[in-house]
Amino acid sequence: MNTFNPPKKHQNATPRRRWGRERTREPIKRRGYNFIGTFAILITTFFECSTSAKTNFVVNTSSDPANVFECSLTATPMDVTIAGKTVHAMTYKDDAPVAVAPCPCDGIPILVMNLKVGQMVICHFKNSLPIATTPEGASIHWHGIELDNESDGTAVTQDALQEGQTYTYRFKVTRPGLFWFHSHMTPGNTTFAGMYGVILIPNNIEPTLVTANKLPPSNFTYTMALSDIEFNPTNSAPDYGKVGKLLDGVWTDINDLVNKCHQNPGNGNDACNAAGTPGKTVLLNGENPNTTPTTNDVPSGQRVRLHLLNEALSRHFRLKLLNAASNQISLYRIGGQGGLLNNPRLEGGVQGTRDTGFDPGEVAIGSGDRVDTIALLSGNEGDIIRLVGNPLKKPPGSTLPPTFALDKGLPVNYPVAFFRIRGVKPTPDPVPCTCDTILEGTSEQVPRLTGPTNSLTDGRPCPGTNNHVIRLTNAQTVNGQNKTEPAIDLSEGALEGNAGNGDFLTLPHPTTARYARVGDLLELSVRNETETVHPFHLHGFSLQPMRVLDNASGNTIYTYNYNEFVDTIDVYGGGLDAATNKTPGQTLVFRVRLEDRSKICDQATGPVLLPCGDGPLGGAVGRWLFHCHIFSHAGLGMMSELVVLDNSQETKWRQRPDLTPTGVDVMATASAGSKTVAEDFLCSSNGWITGVRIWGSWINDVVDANATFELKFWTDVPAFGGTPSRPGWQIWRRLYPAGTYTSSLEAFVFPNEAFYDPSQNNIIGFDTQVHRYGFAIPQCRETFDRLLPNTASGFYQHSGNIYWLSVTAYTTNGTFGWKTCVLNDRYNDDGSWSPTLIGPQWRELRYPSSHSFAQQSMGLAFELDNPATIAMPTNSPVPPIMSAPPLSVGLSGNQIIISWEVGGILQYADNITGPWTDLDGAARPYLTPADAPRRFYRVRMP
């Protein structure tokens, strides 16, 4: 490991972040990883450095019989030297003991992890970034890897790590390819300042391909992490070395630039331009190739392999190779994000009728993209071959500059890497050809996603849409007003950043969210309606590009005639037509299969974790972001999510309906005397409740097909003294209008069964038809919103807890009753009913004296479903929201005494529906005058 000067304190930063909310207040164990040290841009037998030879850490990845890669990383500030200047960088520091003498060169240390398909990754992560300068916290997002949702490292899958907190990621590697990692908690500042690394996962067949001379050997394979940076170079300034951009004479970090852009969006806003343009200093593996050029020696006639990874915020690297005479050497793409291709490809130019925006033999790599290329290097002794970058071409037909000037100020043929001809290969390699084979005809050949596709979930369980076209736009509609700002479907998606302490559990689903189920094969489209190019990135799954459409005509302009899996892909915009003021742009059509994977639970010290259990399936279920990978575009709103729901159900609780004349229907109708009817059940294992079925009848068989049902879950108040158990704290509620539930005629009862009104303690009618009603419950994280439990979308039960389910029917044409269960099927003691819609006062349910089961306890008929494939753990590290305690109220003189059993914050409201106000710091018990205007009280758990 390199040694560096002690970190200097950064300048104070404004705590307000556009990407997040306002916050109050690395050993890689050497099981398979490389360290690309400062200046070390490749793995070879010879390195040049300004002061001495370089050393690369190379570790045998096959030495671990358990097939485990374990690492320990710390997010830390680190002062480094770039282009002769001190820079206040941020890095993922490897905490493993140094096994090799460190390179004395300068630059940002870039870690490289060498993994294998099927390997278990255990990475211990600690955030040591000061909260004063990095209030957004940190995480690790494993860009492109198909892991289980909990380990994705985003603001909707985990808490942002605050200073000093730790998190252990645990997942299995499922696919080969070039990947990388960076923080995904308002990541502009951290990534721009150097917090990123490289992940290499080879195809299993690669040693055979090297032996057959289809791939260059490891000593002519170069891993190149491409990025850029910008910082204050004036050593006399108080913020010397600060990473960011100069705005109005002040060095401002990326997140603050995005926030300032959001406050005053538009093309003329200097903050928007600064946030969305490349950094001035190009970096290759943490070094600037202009001031510290590293030359790689290659014999003439040797094929070289370049792993090229774009880890910049906004820069598109349009790269080409030039020989000593400045003539182009073609780069052939042999793979990238999804591992090797079946055959080499020569990209660029016009393909089909689509102008790719770069020349044949070049590669264009957008932010987050990775490509695997080969090229034949030839020349005379001492010749220097250059890998250079260039600005993107304007979009085809463009008459005006793009709104977001991604290439503003980029020079022509700026240096990226250098190769020097030394010697001649005895048997020169042939020039690469698209006619060559790589994986074609082998067991690892890349397949085509074919067959019928599934639709997005129509009955959306949470806010969202089932539109298969994802629109990338330059306009948002906020509170009825249009804003010029990157967006998905004309809507803002604020899904970056949380404040920790369980905050990730309450981030709402945007209206642009899409929903599908595990195992679905989807065909979706990304339509670019802007003037520039956007690298579209989908988390958690690999998509297969199918074709490209012209937005103006709708015609197909390119069909992908090769198979590949990617997670990040450029979608081109169009030139602004001055006559029509339109930007036709292009549409990418892709397929993605939502393959399940194992669920391996993460661990943490400090951050909240979801209840979790390891299992062979269930890892695909959860919230997966998709967004433009130009960081400022994502932060401003060009972001949404694909929510993957479990596809299998299993009945976890059943109380069978009494379909004989002894069955009774208990009135549960909002307009009647018995408005709410409830039954209790025991949770035996943690998990989502995904479906409820109840049985019931209508008095005199007058059925209201347009009835609305209200389901609620409640905590349990145990029996004490002579008082039976009853519902306590309402923790979930959902209304089901007609069309949102299923209904079927289950049975006829001859001659009839009784319809019971407990408010009159009397049989008031009869019926003969028994109906079954089914209600789907989504798996939405708002379940954990302790502040607004009544707005929850999904319901998560915790092992060992007793809950109550209540039913109310809203009807204008009939009276509904909930069916009793078979006498011995009931749980615990009596069911309950209430003459109100809000619960208390609860009364027990017993059969009336006129019934053959007179005075025996009544139970109600229902079933509860859980996902069948998700392992249910036996313990829960998260304090369940069900622990919100019931209140007890007493009167002493002119004082009301309110008490509750455990901690929490007392709230009051004038109406049962709120709004609720905290009585923060209220002592327990709480005393208030009996004539106080406050009518309702509750306790919220912190």
Side-chain angles (χ1 to χ4, degrees):
M1 255 285 173
N2 289 20
T3 56
F4 300 95
N5 294 327
K8 297 179 181 178
K9 287 188 176 181
H10 294 199
Q11 299 299 312
N12 289 335
T14 305
R16 191 69 179 170
R17 303 289 169 184
R18 163 67 191 128
W19 272 323
R21 302 178 180 178
E22 186 172 4
R23 290 178 77 172
T24 55
R25 31 174 328 211
E26 278 173 40
I28 294 189
K29 259 190 189 177
R30 300 274 191 261
R31 294 177 182 168
Y33 100 101
N34 289 345
F35 172 93
I36 295 186
T38 51
F39 289 150
I41 66 170
L42 51 99
I43 304 173
T44 123
T45 57
F46 178 85
F47 298 90
E48 287 193 352
C49 185
S50 58
T51 56
S52 68
K54 300 180 204 175
T55 302
N56 225 28
F57 294 167
V58 181
V59 181
N60 184 354
T61 62
S62 63
S63 61
D64 182 5
N67 199 23
V68 173
F69 175 95
E70 189 166 6
C71 61
S72 296
L73 305 180
T74 297
T76 184
M78 180 182 291
D79 278 9
V80 301
T81 301
I82 297 176
K85 303 292 184 178
T86 297
V87 177
H88 301 319
M90 302 183 203
T91 67
Y92 286 110
K93 182 175 69 69
D94 180 6
D95 295 325
V98 176
V100 183
C103 172
C105 308
D106 296 326
I108 296 173
I110 308 299
L111 298 178
V112 176
M113 299 183 185
N114 285 294
L115 306 180
K116 299 181 296 182
V117 174
Q119 195 166 39
M120 174 77 173
V121 175
I122 302 174
C123 194
H124 310 282
F125 175 54
K126 180 179 180 179
N127 179 23
S128 291
L129 299 173
I131 192 171
T133 58
T134 319
E136 58 267 27
S139 69
I140 302 179
H141 167 56
W142 310 88
H143 184 116
I145 295 183
E146 297 181 19
L147 34 59
D148 57 280
N149 188 248
E150 187 180 41
S151 296
D152 198 37
T154 73
V156 298
T157 63
Q158 71 160 86
D159 272 345
L161 267 68
Q162 301 177 39
E163 183 180 4
Q165 291 185 332
T166 65
Y167 194 98
T168 297
Y169 296 91
R170 302 172 70 242
F171 58 89
K172 283 189 176 180
V173 173
T174 60
R175 190 187 291 277
L178 306 180
F179 305 96
W180 64 298
F181 58 97
H182 62 90
S183 180
H184 216 292
M185 301 293 172
T186 59
N189 292 343
T190 53
T191 306
F192 199 48
M195 247 174 68
Y196 48 83
V198 172
I199 302 172
L200 305 177
I201 307 176
N203 286 76
N204 292 326
I205 201 174
E206 287 198 23
T208 301
L209 297 174
V210 171
T211 301
N213 203 30
K214 293 187 176 184
L215 294 178
S218 60
N219 60 319
F220 293 112
T221 297
Y222 306 98
T223 298
M224 299 183 172
L226 309 167
S227 60
D228 57 29
I229 197 169
E230 196 164 330
F231 51 87
N232 185 355
T234 306
N235 58 14
S236 61
D239 53 0
Y240 169 50
K242 178 176 180 178
V243 176
K245 301 286 186 71
L246 191 63
L247 179 68
D248 299 329
V250 177
W251 280 92
T252 307
D253 65 40
I254 297 298
N255 292 353
D256 281 343
L257 288 172
V258 172
N259 191 45
K260 292 177 184 294
C261 175
H262 177 66
Q263 292 169 355
N264 183 26
N267 188 34
N269 188 323
D270 291 339
C272 297
N273 292 332
T277 53
K280 291 182 178 179
T281 301
V282 175
L283 297 179
L284 175 63
N285 296 333
E287 300 173 341
N288 175 231
N290 251 339
T291 56
T292 55
T294 301
T295 305
N296 311 294
D297 285 357
V298 177
S300 181
Q302 173 67 53
R303 282 185 181 182
V304 296
R305 183 179 182 185
L306 309 182
H307 295 318
L308 301 168
L309 303 94
N310 185 349
E311 304 182 0
L313 299 193
S314 61
R315 181 186 297 254
H316 269 65
F317 280 93
R318 178 187 166 199
L319 302 175
K320 65 179 175 180
L321 272 174
L322 297 177
N323 65 15
S326 295
N327 296 319
Q328 183 178 342
I329 301 172
S330 289
L331 288 163
Y332 286 78
R333 194 165 73 83
I334 60 170
Q337 302 174 40
L340 294 170
L341 296 175
N342 294 335
N343 306 91
R345 289 186 47 75
L346 191 66
E347 300 194 322
V350 176
Q351 299 188 6
T353 57
R354 177 199 187 203
D355 189 336
T356 62
F358 56 98
D359 293 333
E362 297 181 341
V363 291
I365 318 172
S367 174
D369 193 0
R370 296 88 65 202
V371 299
D372 196 354
T373 64
I374 59 173
L376 179 66
L377 303 190
S378 299
N380 299 316
E381 183 72 18
D383 281 355
I384 299 297
I385 296 173
R386 296 175 294 150
L387 180 68
V388 298
N390 279 288
L392 284 173
K393 290 183 175 180
K394 288 185 178 181
S398 177
T399 58
L400 294 175
T403 301
F404 297 95
L406 301 178
D407 290 333
K408 185 177 181 181
L410 294 188
V412 174
N413 288 343
Y414 59 83
V416 175
F418 301 90
F419 302 87
R420 179 171 54 195
I421 298 298
R422 281 284 178 88
V424 177
K425 187 172 186 180
T427 304
D429 292 330
V431 176
C433 176
T434 57
C435 58
D436 294 339
T437 61
I438 306 174
L439 296 184
E440 183 180 0
T442 73
S443 60
E444 296 186 39
Q445 180 170 309
V446 184
R448 188 79 165 173
L449 291 179
T450 59
T453 57
N454 303 95
S455 297
L456 293 168
T457 300
D458 191 14
R460 291 174 297 285
C462 313
T465 175
N466 63 349
N467 194 329
H468 282 61
V469 179
I470 299 166
R471 299 170 58 199
L472 308 181
T473 66
N474 273 347
Q476 296 179 13
T477 302
V478 180
N479 297 325
Q481 296 183 345
N482 291 330
K483 298 167 56 180
T484 302
E485 202 161 78
I488 299 282
D489 300 339
L490 299 177
S491 181
E492 175 185 9
L495 293 173
E496 285 279 48
N498 62 51
N501 297 316
D503 202 21
F504 80 102
L505 299 169
T506 65
L507 286 176
H509 296 272
T511 58
T512 58
R514 271 72 174 174
Y515 297 85
R517 297 194 176 275
V518 170
D520 284 355
L521 173 60
L522 303 175
E523 184 166 290
L524 304 175
S525 299
V526 181
R527 178 184 171 95
N528 188 344
E529 298 178 4
T530 76
E531 302 90 55
T532 192
V533 59
H534 296 285
F536 176 81
H537 174 47
L538 172 65
H539 287 224
F541 302 94
S542 296
L543 57 91
Q544 189 167 83
M546 304 302 291
R547 56 191 178 276
V548 177
L549 313 178
D550 175 69
N551 290 349
S553 65
N555 295 332
T556 298
I557 57 176
Y558 179 66
T559 298
Y560 285 83
N561 58 1
Y562 65 98
N563 303 336
E564 184 176 19
F565 289 99
V566 300
D567 55 79
T568 308
I569 186 168
D570 283 342
V571 184
Y572 282 89
L576 184 65
D577 188 322
T580 62
N581 197 33
K582 293 182 179 180
T583 56
Q586 298 175 3
T587 296
L588 169 74
V589 181
F590 68 88
R591 287 190 168 194
V592 58
R593 187 180 299 280
L594 306 182
E595 295 177 335
D596 208 354
R597 68 288 306 253
S598 58
K599 179 70 174 177
I600 307 172
C601 299
D602 293 344
Q603 301 166 348
T605 302
V608 171
L609 288 170
L610 273 171
C612 180
D614 290 354
L617 296 171
V621 174
R623 303 177 68 173
W624 301 98
L625 299 181
F626 59 80
H627 55 90
C628 173
H629 211 273
I630 296 170
F631 283 53
S632 62
H633 293 187
L636 288 167
M638 196 172 275
M639 175 179 291
S640 189
E641 64 179 340
L642 174 65
V643 183
V644 178
L645 307 173
D646 187 68
N647 197 36
S648 57
Q649 307 298 320
E650 183 174 275
T651 300
K652 292 288 188 177
W653 188 273
R654 178 181 289 112
Q655 294 186 183
R656 296 169 295 165
D658 185 349
L659 302 179
T660 74
T662 60
V664 172
D665 296 292
V666 181
M667 181 185 290
T669 303
S671 58
S674 174
K675 293 178 169 58
T676 308
V677 177
E679 177 65 301
D680 57 351
F681 63 95
L682 174 66
C683 172
S684 59
S685 57
N686 294 340
W688 297 102
I689 290 180
T690 54
V692 175
R693 282 177 297 282
I694 65 169
W695 284 262
S697 300
W698 297 80
I699 193 169
N700 300 323
D701 294 332
V702 178
V703 178
D704 184 356
N706 294 313
T708 293
F709 288 89
E710 181 179 43
L711 303 186
K712 296 179 181 178
F713 288 107
W714 310 73
T715 58
D716 175 64
V717 178
F720 62 94
T723 305
S725 66
R726 65 187 187 277
W729 190 264
Q730 179 186 312
I731 51 177
W732 184 90
R733 168 182 176 268
R734 191 175 180 90
L735 286 171
Y736 290 88
T740 64
Y741 56 84
T742 62
S743 63
S744 61
L745 182 60
E746 181 83 355
F748 288 94
V749 180
F750 183 81
N752 56 45
E753 55 185 1
F755 198 100
Y756 174 56
D757 180 359
S759 69
Q760 300 182 39
N761 193 23
N762 197 15
I763 302 295
I764 64 170
F766 300 91
D767 58 78
T768 63
Q769 300 174 5
V770 180
H771 299 264
R772 181 174 64 177
Y773 294 90
F775 307 91
I777 299 180
Q779 300 167 48
C780 294
R781 297 268 173 89
E782 286 91 340
T783 300
F784 291 87
D785 189 344
R786 296 174 172 86
L787 301 181
L788 299 171
N790 290 347
T791 64
S793 297
F795 180 70
Y796 197 98
Q797 57 178 337
H798 291 251
S799 179
N801 285 351
I802 296 173
Y803 302 104
W804 289 75
L805 168 69
S806 73
V807 175
T808 300
Y810 294 82
T811 172
T812 58
N813 183 31
T815 303
F816 176 77
W818 189 359
K819 177 68 59 191
T820 54
C821 65
V822 174
L823 190 63
N824 293 328
D825 267 12
R826 65 179 175 80
Y827 169 73
N828 211 9
D829 51 17
D830 316 334
S832 291
W833 71 277
S834 173
T836 74
L837 295 172
I838 61 173
Q841 295 285 331
W842 292 103
R843 292 92 184 267
E844 64 177 328
L845 275 173
R846 290 183 175 268
Y847 286 91
S849 57
S850 59
H851 194 276
S852 58
F853 298 155
Q855 298 309 306
Q856 296 194 56
S857 292
M858 276 186 174
L860 290 311
F862 68 104
E863 291 180 343
L864 301 176
D865 289 341
N866 289 144
T869 59
I870 298 180
M872 297 297 167
T874 57
N875 53 35
S876 168
V878 177
I881 62 172
M882 302 74 181
S883 62
L887 303 177
S888 61
V889 181
L891 185 64
S892 176
N894 194 37
Q895 294 283 312
I896 294 177
I897 304 172
I898 302 172
S899 60
W900 58 99
E901 297 175 0
V902 294
I905 297 175
L906 188 67
Q907 295 183 311
Y908 74 88
D910 295 330
N911 297 286
I912 188 64
T913 57
W916 293 88
T917 301
D918 283 358
L919 289 168
D920 203 358
R924 176 166 47 94
Y926 176 73
L927 278 65
T928 183
D931 57 355
R934 302 167 181 170
R935 299 181 58 208
F936 298 96
Y937 290 86
R938 71 180 187 185
V939 172
R940 73 171 175 87
M941 301 307 294

